[in-house]
Amino acid sequence: LDAVLADLPAVPQPLTEVARRRARRWIVAVMGESESKGRWRLARHTSVVALMGACHLDLSRAEIDGPDVVITALGIMGSIDIVAPEGIDVDLTGLSIMGRKSLRMRDVPVLRGSPRILVRAFPVMGEVTVSSRPAAADPH
């Protein structure tokens, strides 16, 4: 059998799977700043806390598993800024206490097959902002 198979091309070996980034479940800034941008992995449920600080999440190149992702954002005298690519379905819920939450997504059709992002915002004398960015504006 070896003689018959000798002139056949070699079977390519399967590539080893690249290790995935560990999902970020917590993003915290206490009297400072925390920034997540570029290629990073968002957990199915991620908690973001800004205590007299600022958190910036850029989801433009983030790895998102599954059809739904929940981001719980707690800003206590701090600010949380979340940027999502245009065409992603984003829903903003929550409660502001002497603070502000705002959703500024462009009115474009939702991309078929894209994940849904639910942001539960709880600003206490702080701010949670969710906005969109066109794909062409992505600096990476």
Side-chain angles (χ1 to χ4, degrees), residues 89-126:
D89 186 19
V90 178
D91 190 19
L92 178 65
T93 64
L95 173 67
S96 297
I97 300 173
M98 294 182 6
R100 173 184 145 152
K101 61 183 175 76
S102 63
L103 180 65
R104 297 187 298 222
M105 301 293 291
R106 290 212 36 216
D107 189 17
V108 298
V110 174
L111 296 171
R112 172 171 265 156
S114 65
R116 179 173 171 262
I117 299 172
L118 171 61
V119 178
R120 299 185 316 182
F122 302 96
V124 180
M125 295 174 56

mmCIF file of all heavy atoms in Angstrom, residues 89-126:
data_model
loop_
_atom_site.group_PDB
_atom_site.id
_atom_site.type_symbol
_atom_site.label_atom_id
_atom_site.label_comp_id
_atom_site.label_asym_id
_atom_site.label_seq_id
_atom_site.Cartn_x
_atom_site.Cartn_y
_atom_site.Cartn_z
ATOM 1 N N ASP A 89 -26.768 46.200 16.783
ATOM 2 C CA ASP A 89 -27.969 46.497 17.571
ATOM 3 C C ASP A 89 -27.561 46.740 19.023
ATOM 4 O O ASP A 89 -27.032 45.844 19.682
ATOM 5 C CB ASP A 89 -28.948 45.325 17.467
ATOM 6 C CG ASP A 89 -30.276 45.605 18.145
ATOM 7 O OD1 ASP A 89 -30.592 46.780 18.381
ATOM 8 O OD2 ASP A 89 -30.997 44.626 18.423
ATOM 9 N N VAL A 90 -27.778 47.955 19.498
ATOM 10 C CA VAL A 90 -27.423 48.323 20.866
ATOM 11 C C VAL A 90 -28.671 48.832 21.574
ATOM 12 O O VAL A 90 -29.417 49.639 21.032
ATOM 13 C CB VAL A 90 -26.331 49.414 20.898
ATOM 14 C CG1 VAL A 90 -26.003 49.817 22.325
ATOM 15 C CG2 VAL A 90 -25.079 48.939 20.181
ATOM 16 N N ASP A 91 -28.889 48.351 22.797
ATOM 17 C CA ASP A 91 -30.017 48.785 23.615
ATOM 18 C C ASP A 91 -29.462 49.336 24.925
ATOM 19 O O ASP A 91 -28.597 48.715 25.531
ATOM 20 C CB ASP A 91 -30.944 47.600 23.875
ATOM 21 C CG ASP A 91 -32.261 48.003 24.499
ATOM 22 O OD1 ASP A 91 -32.629 49.190 24.419
ATOM 23 O OD2 ASP A 91 -32.920 47.126 25.075
ATOM 24 N N LEU A 92 -29.946 50.494 25.348
ATOM 25 C CA LEU A 92 -29.485 51.126 26.580
ATOM 26 C C LEU A 92 -30.634 51.192 27.570
ATOM 27 O O LEU A 92 -31.687 51.746 27.272
ATOM 28 C CB LEU A 92 -28.962 52.539 26.291
ATOM 29 C CG LEU A 92 -28.492 53.364 27.480
ATOM 30 C CD1 LEU A 92 -27.268 52.742 28.131
ATOM 31 C CD2 LEU A 92 -28.177 54.792 27.045
ATOM 32 N N THR A 93 -30.422 50.600 28.745
ATOM 33 C CA THR A 93 -31.422 50.640 29.810
ATOM 34 C C THR A 93 -30.708 51.089 31.087
ATOM 35 O O THR A 93 -29.504 51.314 31.082
ATOM 36 C CB THR A 93 -32.057 49.255 30.053
ATOM 37 O OG1 THR A 93 -31.050 48.351 30.514
ATOM 38 C CG2 THR A 93 -32.720 48.719 28.799
ATOM 39 N N GLY A 94 -31.434 51.188 32.160
ATOM 40 C CA GLY A 94 -30.810 51.507 33.436
ATOM 41 C C GLY A 94 -31.475 52.694 34.117
ATOM 42 O O GLY A 94 -32.570 53.115 33.750
ATOM 43 N N LEU A 95 -30.779 53.247 35.108
ATOM 44 C CA LEU A 95 -31.312 54.321 35.937
ATOM 45 C C LEU A 95 -30.217 55.333 36.228
ATOM 46 O O LEU A 95 -29.123 54.962 36.673
ATOM 47 C CB LEU A 95 -31.837 53.735 37.258
ATOM 48 C CG LEU A 95 -32.283 54.722 38.325
ATOM 49 C CD1 LEU A 95 -33.533 55.462 37.871
ATOM 50 C CD2 LEU A 95 -32.518 54.000 39.633
ATOM 51 N N SER A 96 -30.509 56.599 35.968
ATOM 52 C CA SER A 96 -29.574 57.683 36.285
ATOM 53 C C SER A 96 -29.990 58.325 37.596
ATOM 54 O O SER A 96 -31.153 58.676 37.787
ATOM 55 C CB SER A 96 -29.596 58.752 35.191
ATOM 56 O OG SER A 96 -29.171 58.219 33.977
ATOM 57 N N ILE A 97 -29.018 58.522 38.485
ATOM 58 C CA ILE A 97 -29.261 59.224 39.739
ATOM 59 C C ILE A 97 -28.321 60.424 39.752
ATOM 60 O O ILE A 97 -27.108 60.269 39.915
ATOM 61 C CB ILE A 97 -29.022 58.315 40.961
ATOM 62 C CG1 ILE A 97 -29.964 57.107 40.895
ATOM 63 C CG2 ILE A 97 -29.225 59.102 42.257
ATOM 64 C CD1 ILE A 97 -29.708 56.061 41.943
ATOM 65 N N MET A 98 -28.883 61.586 39.525
ATOM 66 C CA MET A 98 -28.111 62.821 39.420
ATOM 67 C C MET A 98 -26.981 62.670 38.402
ATOM 68 O O MET A 98 -25.886 63.209 38.573
ATOM 69 C CB MET A 98 -27.574 63.256 40.791
ATOM 70 C CG MET A 98 -28.686 63.639 41.721
ATOM 71 S SD MET A 98 -28.275 64.238 43.371
ATOM 72 C CE MET A 98 -26.556 64.409 43.468
ATOM 73 N N GLY A 99 -27.236 61.909 37.370
ATOM 74 C CA GLY A 99 -26.248 61.671 36.327
ATOM 75 C C GLY A 99 -26.923 61.660 34.975
ATOM 76 O O GLY A 99 -28.045 62.129 34.823
ATOM 77 N N ARG A 100 -26.244 61.090 33.999
ATOM 78 C CA ARG A 100 -26.787 61.109 32.640
ATOM 79 C C ARG A 100 -26.371 59.844 31.903
ATOM 80 O O ARG A 100 -25.226 59.389 32.002
ATOM 81 C CB ARG A 100 -26.233 62.332 31.926
ATOM 82 C CG ARG A 100 -26.566 62.405 30.481
ATOM 83 C CD ARG A 100 -25.886 63.608 29.893
ATOM 84 N NE ARG A 100 -25.480 63.281 28.542
ATOM 85 C CZ ARG A 100 -25.355 64.159 27.593
ATOM 86 N NH1 ARG A 100 -25.558 65.422 27.841
ATOM 87 N NH2 ARG A 100 -25.002 63.792 26.400
ATOM 88 N N LYS A 101 -27.325 59.293 31.138
ATOM 89 C CA LYS A 101 -27.017 58.196 30.221
ATOM 90 C C LYS A 101 -27.531 58.597 28.852
ATOM 91 O O LYS A 101 -28.602 59.195 28.735
ATOM 92 C CB LYS A 101 -27.603 56.867 30.688
ATOM 93 C CG LYS A 101 -29.105 56.805 30.819
ATOM 94 C CD LYS A 101 -29.517 55.423 31.368
ATOM 95 C CE LYS A 101 -30.981 55.352 31.635
ATOM 96 N NZ LYS A 101 -31.814 55.208 30.464
ATOM 97 N N SER A 102 -26.756 58.323 27.819
ATOM 98 C CA SER A 102 -27.192 58.721 26.477
ATOM 99 C C SER A 102 -26.770 57.687 25.443
ATOM 100 O O SER A 102 -25.713 57.074 25.541
ATOM 101 C CB SER A 102 -26.623 60.096 26.106
ATOM 102 O OG SER A 102 -25.225 60.064 26.050
ATOM 103 N N LEU A 103 -27.647 57.526 24.449
ATOM 104 C CA LEU A 103 -27.435 56.607 23.334
ATOM 105 C C LEU A 103 -27.409 57.439 22.064
ATOM 106 O O LEU A 103 -28.403 58.093 21.731
ATOM 107 C CB LEU A 103 -28.555 55.559 23.292
ATOM 108 C CG LEU A 103 -28.495 54.522 22.179
ATOM 109 C CD1 LEU A 103 -27.266 53.623 22.349
ATOM 110 C CD2 LEU A 103 -29.758 53.681 22.157
ATOM 111 N N ARG A 104 -26.279 57.441 21.380
ATOM 112 C CA ARG A 104 -26.128 58.236 20.162
ATOM 113 C C ARG A 104 -25.650 57.339 19.020
ATOM 114 O O ARG A 104 -24.505 57.426 18.597
ATOM 115 C CB ARG A 104 -25.149 59.377 20.390
ATOM 116 C CG ARG A 104 -25.623 60.352 21.444
ATOM 117 C CD ARG A 104 -24.720 61.542 21.536
ATOM 118 N NE ARG A 104 -23.374 61.123 21.935
ATOM 119 C CZ ARG A 104 -22.641 61.768 22.813
ATOM 120 N NH1 ARG A 104 -23.090 62.855 23.387
ATOM 121 N NH2 ARG A 104 -21.430 61.329 23.113
ATOM 122 N N MET A 105 -26.532 56.458 18.572
ATOM 123 C CA MET A 105 -26.214 55.544 17.479
ATOM 124 C C MET A 105 -26.797 56.102 16.183
ATOM 125 O O MET A 105 -27.908 56.618 16.178
ATOM 126 C CB MET A 105 -26.794 54.154 17.750
ATOM 127 C CG MET A 105 -26.312 53.493 19.031
ATOM 128 S SD MET A 105 -24.579 53.072 19.028
ATOM 129 C CE MET A 105 -24.535 51.765 17.818
ATOM 130 N N ARG A 106 -26.051 56.000 15.096
ATOM 131 C CA ARG A 106 -26.566 56.436 13.794
ATOM 132 C C ARG A 106 -27.695 55.516 13.376
ATOM 133 O O ARG A 106 -27.692 54.327 13.674
ATOM 134 C CB ARG A 106 -25.465 56.396 12.751
ATOM 135 C CG ARG A 106 -24.453 57.490 13.034
ATOM 136 C CD ARG A 106 -23.785 58.091 11.850
ATOM 137 N NE ARG A 106 -24.607 58.236 10.676
ATOM 138 C CZ ARG A 106 -24.139 58.081 9.447
ATOM 139 N NH1 ARG A 106 -22.889 57.761 9.255
ATOM 140 N NH2 ARG A 106 -24.916 58.234 8.409
ATOM 141 N N ASP A 107 -28.657 56.073 12.694
ATOM 142 C CA ASP A 107 -29.824 55.329 12.247
ATOM 143 C C ASP A 107 -29.492 54.618 10.929
ATOM 144 O O ASP A 107 -29.765 55.124 9.848
ATOM 145 C CB ASP A 107 -31.014 56.270 12.076
ATOM 146 C CG ASP A 107 -32.311 55.525 11.822
ATOM 147 O OD1 ASP A 107 -32.364 54.310 12.088
ATOM 148 O OD2 ASP A 107 -33.268 56.163 11.354
ATOM 149 N N VAL A 108 -28.860 53.450 11.048
ATOM 150 C CA VAL A 108 -28.500 52.641 9.883
ATOM 151 C C VAL A 108 -29.095 51.252 10.080
ATOM 152 O O VAL A 108 -29.379 50.854 11.208
ATOM 153 C CB VAL A 108 -26.961 52.560 9.695
ATOM 154 C CG1 VAL A 108 -26.366 53.934 9.437
ATOM 155 C CG2 VAL A 108 -26.297 51.909 10.888
ATOM 156 N N PRO A 109 -29.286 50.508 9.000
ATOM 157 C CA PRO A 109 -29.829 49.147 9.145
ATOM 158 C C PRO A 109 -28.900 48.262 9.982
ATOM 159 O O PRO A 109 -27.676 48.386 9.926
ATOM 160 C CB PRO A 109 -29.911 48.630 7.707
ATOM 161 C CG PRO A 109 -29.828 49.836 6.837
ATOM 162 C CD PRO A 109 -29.077 50.877 7.600
ATOM 163 N N VAL A 110 -29.503 47.376 10.754
ATOM 164 C CA VAL A 110 -28.741 46.438 11.573
ATOM 165 C C VAL A 110 -28.104 45.394 10.664
ATOM 166 O O VAL A 110 -28.756 44.870 9.754
ATOM 167 C CB VAL A 110 -29.661 45.770 12.621
ATOM 168 C CG1 VAL A 110 -28.930 44.681 13.379
ATOM 169 C CG2 VAL A 110 -30.211 46.805 13.579
ATOM 170 N N LEU A 111 -26.836 45.108 10.885
ATOM 171 C CA LEU A 111 -26.132 44.101 10.095
ATOM 172 C C LEU A 111 -26.661 42.713 10.430
ATOM 173 O O LEU A 111 -26.696 42.324 11.597
ATOM 174 C CB LEU A 111 -24.630 44.158 10.390
ATOM 175 C CG LEU A 111 -23.918 45.441 10.006
ATOM 176 C CD1 LEU A 111 -22.493 45.445 10.544
ATOM 177 C CD2 LEU A 111 -23.921 45.610 8.497
ATOM 178 N N ARG A 112 -27.053 41.990 9.425
ATOM 179 C CA ARG A 112 -27.587 40.633 9.620
ATOM 180 C C ARG A 112 -26.506 39.749 10.236
ATOM 181 O O ARG A 112 -25.362 39.748 9.817
ATOM 182 C CB ARG A 112 -28.037 40.073 8.281
ATOM 183 C CG ARG A 112 -28.418 38.614 8.341
ATOM 184 C CD ARG A 112 -29.038 38.166 7.083
ATOM 185 N NE ARG A 112 -30.462 38.319 7.364
ATOM 186 C CZ ARG A 112 -31.405 38.485 6.474
ATOM 187 N NH1 ARG A 112 -31.127 38.542 5.228
ATOM 188 N NH2 ARG A 112 -32.657 38.602 6.821
ATOM 189 N N GLY A 113 -26.891 39.028 11.294
ATOM 190 C CA GLY A 113 -25.965 38.121 11.955
ATOM 191 C C GLY A 113 -25.068 38.776 13.002
ATOM 192 O O GLY A 113 -24.254 38.115 13.613
ATOM 193 N N SER A 114 -25.221 40.085 13.189
ATOM 194 C CA SER A 114 -24.378 40.762 14.182
ATOM 195 C C SER A 114 -24.938 40.550 15.587
ATOM 196 O O SER A 114 -26.120 40.301 15.767
ATOM 197 C CB SER A 114 -24.282 42.262 13.865
ATOM 198 O OG SER A 114 -25.542 42.882 13.992
ATOM 199 N N PRO A 115 -24.091 40.655 16.598
ATOM 200 C CA PRO A 115 -24.558 40.459 17.975
ATOM 201 C C PRO A 115 -25.407 41.633 18.450
ATOM 202 O O PRO A 115 -25.357 42.722 17.876
ATOM 203 C CB PRO A 115 -23.257 40.376 18.778
ATOM 204 C CG PRO A 115 -22.277 41.144 17.970
ATOM 205 C CD PRO A 115 -22.659 40.936 16.539
ATOM 206 N N ARG A 116 -26.165 41.404 19.495
ATOM 207 C CA ARG A 116 -26.958 42.455 20.138
ATOM 208 C C ARG A 116 -26.247 42.807 21.437
ATOM 209 O O ARG A 116 -25.856 41.922 22.204
ATOM 210 C CB ARG A 116 -28.367 41.953 20.445
ATOM 211 C CG ARG A 116 -29.235 42.971 21.133
ATOM 212 C CD ARG A 116 -30.666 42.416 21.242
ATOM 213 N NE ARG A 116 -31.440 43.284 22.082
ATOM 214 C CZ ARG A 116 -31.672 43.070 23.375
ATOM 215 N NH1 ARG A 116 -31.196 42.003 23.967
ATOM 216 N NH2 ARG A 116 -32.385 43.905 24.065
ATOM 217 N N ILE A 117 -26.051 44.082 21.674
ATOM 218 C CA ILE A 117 -25.362 44.533 22.872
ATOM 219 C C ILE A 117 -26.361 45.274 23.751
ATOM 220 O O ILE A 117 -26.973 46.256 23.326
ATOM 221 C CB ILE A 117 -24.173 45.440 22.521
ATOM 222 C CG1 ILE A 117 -23.173 44.652 21.672
ATOM 223 C CG2 ILE A 117 -23.509 45.981 23.784
ATOM 224 C CD1 ILE A 117 -22.057 45.466 21.101
ATOM 225 N N LEU A 118 -26.531 44.780 24.963
ATOM 226 C CA LEU A 118 -27.416 45.417 25.935
ATOM 227 C C LEU A 118 -26.537 46.105 26.972
ATOM 228 O O LEU A 118 -25.729 45.452 27.635
ATOM 229 C CB LEU A 118 -28.317 44.385 26.617
ATOM 230 C CG LEU A 118 -29.143 44.895 27.796
ATOM 231 C CD1 LEU A 118 -30.094 46.004 27.373
ATOM 232 C CD2 LEU A 118 -29.907 43.766 28.439
ATOM 233 N N VAL A 119 -26.673 47.424 27.085
ATOM 234 C CA VAL A 119 -25.921 48.189 28.074
ATOM 235 C C VAL A 119 -26.892 48.574 29.180
ATOM 236 O O VAL A 119 -27.880 49.266 28.934
ATOM 237 C CB VAL A 119 -25.276 49.447 27.457
ATOM 238 C CG1 VAL A 119 -24.537 50.252 28.523
ATOM 239 C CG2 VAL A 119 -24.348 49.070 26.310
ATOM 240 N N ARG A 120 -26.609 48.098 30.389
ATOM 241 C CA ARG A 120 -27.401 48.470 31.570
ATOM 242 C C ARG A 120 -26.580 49.516 32.309
ATOM 243 O O ARG A 120 -25.549 49.200 32.901
ATOM 244 C CB ARG A 120 -27.660 47.253 32.443
ATOM 245 C CG ARG A 120 -28.435 46.172 31.715
ATOM 246 C CD ARG A 120 -28.806 45.006 32.575
ATOM 247 N NE ARG A 120 -27.705 44.569 33.426
ATOM 248 C CZ ARG A 120 -27.763 43.534 34.242
ATOM 249 N NH1 ARG A 120 -28.863 42.825 34.316
ATOM 250 N NH2 ARG A 120 -26.739 43.190 34.970
ATOM 251 N N ALA A 121 -27.045 50.783 32.244
ATOM 252 C CA ALA A 121 -26.256 51.904 32.758
ATOM 253 C C ALA A 121 -26.826 52.428 34.065
ATOM 254 O O ALA A 121 -28.032 52.652 34.182
ATOM 255 C CB ALA A 121 -26.210 53.022 31.724
ATOM 256 N N PHE A 122 -25.925 52.656 35.024
ATOM 257 C CA PHE A 122 -26.303 53.195 36.321
ATOM 258 C C PHE A 122 -25.320 54.308 36.710
ATOM 259 O O PHE A 122 -24.437 54.110 37.536
ATOM 260 C CB PHE A 122 -26.322 52.085 37.385
ATOM 261 C CG PHE A 122 -27.260 50.971 37.030
ATOM 262 C CD1 PHE A 122 -26.801 49.823 36.410
ATOM 263 C CD2 PHE A 122 -28.621 51.088 37.293
ATOM 264 C CE1 PHE A 122 -27.668 48.803 36.060
ATOM 265 C CE2 PHE A 122 -29.500 50.067 36.952
ATOM 266 C CZ PHE A 122 -29.027 48.924 36.332
ATOM 267 N N PRO A 123 -25.479 55.493 36.096
ATOM 268 C CA PRO A 123 -24.615 56.606 36.482
ATOM 269 C C PRO A 123 -25.142 57.294 37.740
ATOM 270 O O PRO A 123 -26.316 57.644 37.825
ATOM 271 C CB PRO A 123 -24.677 57.546 35.273
ATOM 272 C CG PRO A 123 -25.969 57.228 34.611
ATOM 273 C CD PRO A 123 -26.283 55.798 34.920
ATOM 274 N N VAL A 124 -24.268 57.459 38.729
ATOM 275 C CA VAL A 124 -24.595 58.165 39.963
ATOM 276 C C VAL A 124 -23.681 59.387 39.994
ATOM 277 O O VAL A 124 -22.475 59.249 40.211
ATOM 278 C CB VAL A 124 -24.379 57.275 41.207
ATOM 279 C CG1 VAL A 124 -24.721 58.051 42.474
ATOM 280 C CG2 VAL A 124 -25.208 55.996 41.109
ATOM 281 N N MET A 125 -24.240 60.539 39.712
ATOM 282 C CA MET A 125 -23.456 61.762 39.583
ATOM 283 C C MET A 125 -22.334 61.574 38.558
ATOM 284 O O MET A 125 -21.234 62.108 38.708
ATOM 285 C CB MET A 125 -22.897 62.209 40.942
ATOM 286 C CG MET A 125 -23.986 62.608 41.908
ATOM 287 S SD MET A 125 -23.426 62.971 43.582
ATOM 288 C CE MET A 125 -22.205 64.230 43.338
ATOM 289 N N GLY A 126 -22.615 60.776 37.539
ATOM 290 C CA GLY A 126 -21.644 60.485 36.493
ATOM 291 C C GLY A 126 -22.335 60.390 35.151
ATOM 292 O O GLY A 126 -23.468 60.843 34.991
#
